[in-house]
Amino acid sequence: MAEEASDKQLVDGCVRGERRFQELLYKRFSPKMYSVCLGYAGRGNEAADMLQDAFIKVFRNIGEFRFDCPLEAWIRRIVVNTAIDQYRKASRQAMPLSLDDTLELDDETVFSHPSDHKYFLDLVSALPDGYRLIFNLYVIEGLNHREIAEQVGISEGTSKSQLARAKKYLQQKLKQETATNPSAQKNEGRSFQLV
Amino acid sequence: MKEDLFNWYKKGFDNLPPTEPPPMVWENIASALDGKPKRRIPAFWWWSGLSILVVGLATAVWLNYSPTSNVANAKPESFSAQSKRPQTVMKHTAPSKQKESSNSIQSKTVNSDNPFRETSPSQASTEQVATANNTSFSKQKASITSHSPEILVSTPSNPENNLENTNAPVNSLNSNPLAEETNLSITQKTETILTHSSGLILPKRSFIGFELSTINPELTTTSQQLPELIIPKMNNSGSSWFFGVASEINNNWVFNHDLVDAMRKESMNSILPHFSSTHSLVASKEFLPNHRIRAELILSKKEGQHYVTYLNGQLLKKDLHLNYSGATLLYDYRNPSPKNLFGFTLRTHWLGGASLCYLSESKLAIGQTMVSPSGYRKMNISLVAGMEKEVFFTRQLSLGAGLRLMGGLTNIFKGYENIPAWFNRTHTGNIAGTLSVRYYLNIPNH
């Protein structure tokens, strides 16, 4: 059964250009990768676009996959690289966010938040593209500033400052959300400290 | 439970459940893998093609316009008119003998010099012999002052058909700058045929309506070969200044990576031009014959571009607006050969120069949200080239229309902290149709 094909069989089928294996590979990994895209894109339509570009790259370059890592990790790496590419493309017309008016936050303030995914995605969407990318690369992918700088095409200092700004921006958004939606403080009983 | 923001974020990210993407994503991927993406001609190419077509057609029309007369190549034309009654003919003609039928008026000039020469006051002695219906015409010599071409005047010697003073119209013409009124009254009394060329005798006024109204209706039914419209060249020893206002309709582009990306067939971006108007005050000084320097004070100039991105069945729109003010300095070469456009003098100008503009305002509309991007340089230097046609409605008032190409030299994107300026080189460019009204302080050398 093709549905039960191993990663090796999927890759071999895709290398041969067989559509059913391509579709199978897509169906197997696209839900997880779409979640990654949502985390990087912030908005559904951009995430779909990102996913589409990423899987086109996957299928066009799958012959270069050497099974030296899990297939899912390899695809995820392509998705993240696509996110970086899209950011570089979109950032040409992007504007820096002015943080002049941001609230002075007390880093020791403790907030609570609901744990549902929609809330998290809304928060991610609220992050400016540049901040979100740097934040994700640093926090989620575990890259250091030098690696981020190389991949995104910015300086190391810029990466650091973007991360700091992203952190401050996230804190601000969380504080605003909590202030405008007091029920969020009670929800789930979870809290975290903004440090 | 206290937890670090990074950990909280990472947990939130990792806990995102697998989500089914929209079904059309796979359809698009399959289509792309088939190598049969929907054939789409980017908007950039549509607009570029359209602009090139419009510019090409307009240029072809302008350059191939065939005037009825060209001063430099003006040739004398004979004139004949048939009438049952004695006629007085005032005619601006060339120095050649003209003989017509018995009913026609015969004229000849004694002076064989070219009466349309541009320099030196013309003094033409004319001798006219006209016979019509047994009416003899007197010979008359007319001395023409400068700024007036030669005039052939024939008046009837028959007292019954004569005017109060046959010399009067000639004298009036010589002395009265508003001679056309005098001329008109004479015309009415003597049924003088003033062809459209007669109006050109009068340098200070436009003439076409005047000419038409004074043609004897009876003569309009007769065979007559009207002389070509000839525009006298004025002796103008001084250089001319003009001042005016100019407006442009701009077809703006912002040349950047997005525009390049939009040129690709598979691009999901569309770039559309930004149409705007530019308003300027214009002054020009002639430093050599047909060579001028023109300065334009730009009161308002708008650059920008529309961006439309198609994402997952949705159109995302973004409009960039950049408002400039500044100045343009142009070298203005005027084609020495004027042409005729429905009786008006038509001159062609070729322009080249540079424009220095200051960014007074920048706006970016993303959907319904308007922001003020700070990543654009204040100064923008552009090269300008163009062509312009100028029509003189009076000796000092003209209307100009033309086309211009402008290309920005400056990379107007100064970058942000995370995006260096070189990363997204951005240059302005536009094609503009221009319209200007000018008033010459001193009579230009038409």
Side-chain angles (χ1 to χ4, degrees):
Chain A
M1 292 291 288
E3 287 72 13
E4 298 171 355
S6 65
D7 288 355
K8 178 78 168 64
Q9 289 171 314
L10 280 180
V11 171
D12 290 344
C14 290
V15 169
R16 291 193 300 270
E18 293 184 31
R19 178 54 46 86
R20 66 188 182 110
F21 283 103
Q22 289 174 337
E23 189 170 0
L24 195 60
L25 184 144
Y26 173 80
K27 284 183 176 175
R28 182 175 294 180
F29 294 105
S30 63
K32 282 187 180 177
M33 295 308 134
Y34 189 55
S35 295
V36 176
C37 291
L38 286 171
Y40 274 88
R43 284 184 290 272
N45 46 12
E46 286 188 13
D49 192 41
M50 190 184 294
L51 184 74
Q52 176 181 316
D53 288 352
F55 267 93
I56 290 173
K57 290 178 186 174
V58 165
F59 291 126
R60 287 182 175 163
N61 297 283
I62 200 162
E64 298 173 11
F65 180 60
R66 297 290 175 246
F67 297 97
D68 48 0
C69 67
L71 180 60
E72 182 179 332
W74 184 76
I75 294 174
R76 183 191 167 98
R77 186 65 233 168
I78 290 179
V79 170
V80 173
N81 284 342
T82 304
I84 294 171
D85 290 343
Q86 288 206 353
Y87 163 74
R88 293 176 66 151
K89 186 170 141 186
S91 63
R92 292 171 195 139
Q93 289 298 324
M95 308 134 297
L97 188 73
S98 171
L99 294 179
D100 296 340
D101 300 327
T102 53
L103 300 172
E104 287 299 324
L105 295 175
D106 176 6
D107 282 351
E108 297 302 318
T109 304
V110 176
F111 294 93
S112 58
H113 71 92
S115 60
D116 65 280
H117 307 299
K118 184 179 180 304
Y119 179 85
F120 180 79
L121 283 177
D122 286 345
L123 197 63
V124 171
S125 299
L127 275 170
D129 291 346
Y131 297 172
R132 183 168 57 242
L133 179 72
I134 305 301
F135 204 78
N136 282 345
L137 292 178
Y138 188 86
V139 177
I140 307 300
E141 308 302 325
L143 303 181
N144 60 38
H145 288 297
R146 184 181 56 78
E147 291 167 330
I148 292 172
E150 287 175 357
Q151 294 201 19
V152 182
I154 56 177
S155 68
E156 205 171 324
T158 301
S159 175
K160 289 177 183 175
S161 65
Q162 288 289 86
L163 182 70
R165 285 165 181 249
K167 184 178 168 186
K168 191 172 183 181
Y169 186 82
L170 202 55
Q171 290 171 334
Q172 179 191 359
K173 292 300 293 184
L174 282 168
K175 186 171 184 178
Q176 287 175 344
E177 286 289 332
T178 308
T180 55
N181 185 16
S183 62
Q185 297 181 13
K186 303 172 186 174
N187 196 5
E188 303 293 329
R190 296 184 64 210
S191 64
F192 63 94
Q193 188 176 17
L194 294 171
V195 293
Chain B
M1 179 178 72
K2 285 188 175 182
E3 57 185 337
D4 171 272
L5 177 64
F6 289 170
N7 288 335
W8 168 83
Y9 188 89
K10 192 171 189 321
K11 281 182 182 176
F13 198 102
D14 292 340
N15 288 334
L16 284 175
T19 309
E20 282 295 328
M24 71 171 294
V25 174
W26 168 246
E27 295 170 11
N28 291 339
I29 292 170
S31 176
L33 294 175
D34 285 339
K36 298 175 185 173
K38 287 184 180 177
R39 184 173 178 80
R40 188 174 70 90
I41 300 175
F44 172 82
W45 293 115
W46 281 112
W47 282 103
S48 296
L50 188 64
S51 300
I52 290 169
L53 187 66
V54 169
V55 171
L57 283 176
T59 306
V61 168
W62 282 115
L63 296 181
N64 294 313
Y65 171 71
S66 180
T68 57
S69 171
N70 184 317
V71 171
N73 300 320
K75 293 180 180 178
E77 296 286 344
S78 63
F79 173 82
S80 66
Q82 293 181 345
S83 173
K84 295 177 181 177
R85 289 178 289 180
Q87 303 295 323
T88 296
V89 178
M90 298 181 68
K91 184 190 174 200
H92 180 198
T93 185
S96 64
K97 292 184 178 180
Q98 304 167 20
K99 294 183 179 178
E100 299 296 333
S101 65
S102 60
N103 274 348
S104 68
I105 299 167
Q106 298 175 354
S107 309
K108 66 178 182 180
T109 58
V110 174
N111 187 353
S112 62
D113 292 337
N114 184 350
F116 311 113
R117 59 187 179 272
E118 188 171 0
T119 58
S120 80
S122 64
Q123 287 191 335
S125 297
T126 62
E127 180 179 4
Q128 298 126 29
V129 178
T131 58
N133 292 344
N134 300 322
T135 302
S136 62
F137 284 75
S138 63
K139 296 180 180 179
Q140 180 179 347
K141 288 188 177 181
S143 178
I144 311 300
T145 60
S146 62
H147 293 289
S148 296
E150 288 178 315
I151 305 172
L152 279 178
V153 177
S154 60
T155 55
S157 59
N158 187 336
E160 292 180 4
N161 296 326
N162 204 353
L163 301 171
E164 306 99 274
N165 185 352
T166 56
N167 288 327
V170 177
N171 292 337
S172 298
L173 284 171
N174 292 338
S175 58
N176 188 353
L178 300 176
E180 62 273 28
E181 282 88 357
T182 307
N183 199 6
L184 176 58
S185 65
I186 293 167
T187 302
Q188 291 169 338
K189 291 179 180 178
T190 62
E191 297 175 305
T192 297
I193 301 168
L194 289 177
T195 70
H196 66 294
S197 64
S198 64
L200 298 170
I201 296 169
L202 311 167
K204 291 284 186 183
R205 300 280 293 267
S206 60
F207 24 70
I208 198 160
F210 168 68
E211 297 155 6
L212 295 176
S213 65
T214 55
I215 293 177
N216 188 330
E218 294 181 16
L219 295 177
T220 59
T221 60
T222 63
S223 168
Q224 53 181 306
Q225 184 179 2
L226 296 177
E228 288 186 5
L229 178 60
I230 296 169
I231 303 166
K233 289 190 175 181
M234 299 304 162
N235 179 20
N236 178 25
S237 57
S239 58
S240 59
W241 274 96
F242 80 67
F243 294 92
V245 294
S247 292
E248 297 175 3
I249 300 298
N250 303 102
N251 182 357
N252 300 303
W253 296 93
V254 174
F255 296 98
N256 54 15
H257 287 182
D258 285 325
L259 185 67
V260 174
D261 175 72
M263 294 178 191
R264 297 185 299 115
K265 285 181 185 175
E266 64 272 22
S267 173
M268 301 296 282
N269 293 323
S270 286
I271 303 295
L272 299 172
H274 183 267
F275 289 95
S276 66
S277 58
T278 297
H279 306 288
S280 310
L281 299 177
V282 187
S284 175
K285 174 76 168 68
E286 188 174 59
F287 61 92
L288 283 173
N290 299 318
H291 298 269
R292 305 176 182 193
I293 289 293
R294 186 189 298 189
E296 298 178 353
L297 179 64
I298 301 169
L299 304 176
S300 169
K301 181 181 177 68
K302 294 177 181 174
E303 304 276 4
Q305 199 154 258
H306 296 287
Y307 300 85
V308 181
T309 302
Y310 181 79
L311 284 173
N312 198 22
Q314 292 186 4
L315 286 178
L316 301 177
K317 297 182 179 179
K318 186 167 66 173
D319 291 343
L320 176 65
H321 300 266
L322 302 171
N323 296 339
Y324 288 95
S325 55
T328 302
L329 195 62
L330 294 166
Y331 163 70
D332 175 353
Y333 172 71
R334 190 184 66 169
N335 191 321
S337 299
K339 295 181 178 179
N340 167 27
L341 179 69
F342 304 118
F344 298 101
T345 306
L346 178 69
R347 306 300 300 246
T348 302
H349 296 256
W350 296 96
L351 307 169
S355 178
L356 178 64
C357 290
Y358 177 81
L359 179 66
S360 55
E361 185 182 22
S362 59
K363 291 187 291 186
L364 184 65
I366 306 172
Q368 300 297 319
T369 307
M370 184 74 76
V371 296
S372 297
S374 58
Y376 293 94
R377 294 186 197 282
K378 289 294 184 185
M379 304 305 294
N380 186 19
I381 300 173
S382 305
L383 290 182
V384 183
M387 184 270 287
E388 193 173 76
K389 297 283 185 178
E390 184 180 22
V391 179
F392 286 87
F393 291 105
T394 70
R395 294 280 296 147
Q396 291 172 279
L397 185 65
S398 73
L399 179 68
L403 290 169
R404 284 191 190 183
L405 295 174
M406 280 162 274
L409 293 178
T410 312
N411 174 14
I412 61 171
F413 183 66
K414 69 177 181 183
Y416 297 120
E417 186 179 355
N418 59 333
I419 310 170
W422 58 264
F423 189 69
N424 185 26
R425 292 187 189 282
T426 304
H427 298 270
T428 57
N430 61 56
I431 302 172
T434 62
L435 197 65
S436 62
V437 178
R438 303 168 199 157
Y439 184 80
Y440 286 81
L441 291 185
N442 48 347
I443 298 173
N445 183 6
H446 290 327

